[in-house]
Amino acid sequence: MRIDKYLSNANFGSRSEIKKMIKQNMIELNGKIIKNGKEQIDLTKDIVKVNGKKISLETKRYLMLNKPQGVISATKDSSQPTVIDLISSKDKIKDLAPVGRLDKDTTGLLLLTNDGKLAHELLAPKKHVIKTYHALVSGIVDDSLIERFKNGITLKDGTNFKPAKLKILSINKENNTSKVSISISEGKYHQIKRMFKANQMTVLTLHRLSMGSLFLDNSLQPGAYRRLSSQEINILKNKK
Ligand code: URA
């Protein structure tokens, strides 16, 4: 990778600022002041110093995507668009992958990172990271359903879903639909859809709002993403 591109991606300044820094002899590669931003660097072994200070070339990237409908939560696919296709080349770094999956038609918060350790911790069943969704479902949600969700749902095939918190947001009697908020601590395949299906209801739309302490930035349009702030990264790492 070009050293100027690397440094601007790593937030040391814009490309033109980096150019100035190079002119001012502030950038060193393997002990030599560089004169040209086009110099290539090898992230696995080169030593880069900015203003005499060694910088870490290992880059961890944490992105918050407002996943739109119609893309799959995978890194590549031979026929369908994936969430990685929504990421610009400057953020599309090696090993970037979604943390868990949302169904193709589910929208909302999806974290992408190349920090495998954090991804693993957020997904580990014993960590019980709470995920909260808004759903539009067919039928009228009532207190008895809230109670059933609270006690955990068991499917006919024996699959067990842990207790979930269901709240009614609004009821539309004319359309026979309900808007609800649902919080679950697992991430089983089609979990929310299967929980409602077991109660003769269909999930019409599903949108994730939060994962642990990370909330979807509601200024992100569907398909848009941003890097997490260092504060958000710390919150995720420390409290989950
Ligand atoms: N539950 C589902 O059914 N689908 C999702 O995408 C997420 C949770």
Side-chain angles (χ1 to χ4, degrees), residues 101-107 133 184 187-194 203 206 208:
R101 282 165 194 272
L102 289 179
D103 296 338
K104 190 174 174 185
D105 58 350
T106 300
T107 57
Y133 298 77
I184 57 175
K188 289 187 176 144
Y189 180 67
H190 290 335
Q191 177 158 346
I192 294 176
K193 290 175 184 163
R194 288 157 79 205
V203 173
L206 190 59
R208 184 155 69 187

Side-chain angles (χ1 to χ4, degrees), residues 6-132:
Y6 175 79
L7 289 171
S8 82
N9 284 354
N11 293 329
F12 281 91
S14 63
R15 282 278 189 103
S16 62
E17 284 164 344
I18 303 293
K19 213 171 167 181
K20 266 190 212 155
M21 290 162 80
I22 291 171
K23 265 196 173 160
Q24 291 164 357
N25 297 332
M26 285 166 66
I27 316 288
E28 212 179 292
L29 173 61
N30 299 327
K32 266 192 178 167
I33 298 284
I34 61 151
K35 299 285 177 204
N36 191 337
K38 285 188 192 152
E39 292 241 18
Q40 294 290 322
I41 52 168
D42 179 338
L43 300 181
T44 61
K45 59 178 179 12
D46 284 341
I47 294 173
V48 175
K49 288 185 181 171
V50 176
N51 235 348
K53 254 196 174 170
K54 187 177 165 195
I55 62 163
S56 162
L57 293 185
E58 194 198 359
T59 324
K60 290 274 182 265
R61 197 65 96 230
Y62 304 87
L63 307 174
M64 168 194 292
L65 169 72
N66 182 358
K67 181 192 168 295
Q69 285 198 338
V71 294
I72 61 168
S73 302
T75 48
K76 46 176 178 276
D77 192 84
S78 55
S79 56
Q80 305 190 71
T82 74
V83 289
I84 298 291
D85 297 330
L86 299 167
I87 308 303
S88 74
S89 59
K90 78 171 167 44
D91 285 315
K92 220 184 265 183
I93 57 172
K94 191 172 168 285
D95 296 331
L96 185 73
V99 177
R101 282 165 194 272
L102 289 179
D103 296 338
K104 190 174 174 185
D105 58 350
T106 300
T107 57
L109 176 66
L110 187 65
L111 177 66
L112 293 109
T113 185
N114 59 343
D115 183 341
K117 185 168 169 268
L118 179 68
H120 180 76
E121 283 181 5
L122 289 169
L123 296 174
K126 63 173 190 287
K127 296 275 175 174
H128 304 297
V129 174
I130 305 287
K131 275 88 55 178
T132 298

Side-chain angles (χ1 to χ4, degrees), residues 83-210:
V83 289
I84 298 291
D85 297 330
L86 299 167
I87 308 303
S88 74
S89 59
K90 78 171 167 44
D91 285 315
K92 220 184 265 183
I93 57 172
K94 191 172 168 285
D95 296 331
L96 185 73
V99 177
R101 282 165 194 272
L102 289 179
D103 296 338
K104 190 174 174 185
D105 58 350
T106 300
T107 57
L109 176 66
L110 187 65
L111 177 66
L112 293 109
T113 185
N114 59 343
D115 183 341
K117 185 168 169 268
L118 179 68
H120 180 76
E121 283 181 5
L122 289 169
L123 296 174
K126 63 173 190 287
K127 296 275 175 174
H128 304 297
V129 174
I130 305 287
K131 275 88 55 178
T132 298
Y133 298 77
H134 276 179
L136 177 68
V137 298
S138 67
I140 307 297
V141 171
D142 59 13
D143 288 348
S144 72
L145 189 70
I146 293 174
E147 196 60 24
R148 258 174 276 154
F149 273 47
K150 195 173 151 193
N151 294 330
I153 301 271
T154 302
L155 304 185
K156 283 202 183 108
D157 67 5
T159 307
N160 253 312
F161 295 123
K162 292 211 172 87
K165 199 186 249 181
L166 184 60
K167 280 189 211 155
I168 299 169
L169 299 175
S170 63
I171 298 282
N172 188 327
K173 284 200 172 139
E174 244 172 58
N175 295 341
N176 193 36
T177 57
S178 311
K179 265 191 197 155
V180 294
S181 147
I182 172 164
S183 299
I184 57 175
S185 64
E186 304 165 288
K188 289 187 176 144
Y189 180 67
H190 290 335
Q191 177 158 346
I192 294 176
K193 290 175 184 163
R194 288 157 79 205
M195 288 170 85
F196 278 98
K197 196 166 171 220
N199 288 281
Q200 295 73 49
M201 294 172 98
T202 308
V203 173
L204 304 171
T205 63
L206 190 59
H207 180 76
R208 184 155 69 187
L209 297 165
S210 63

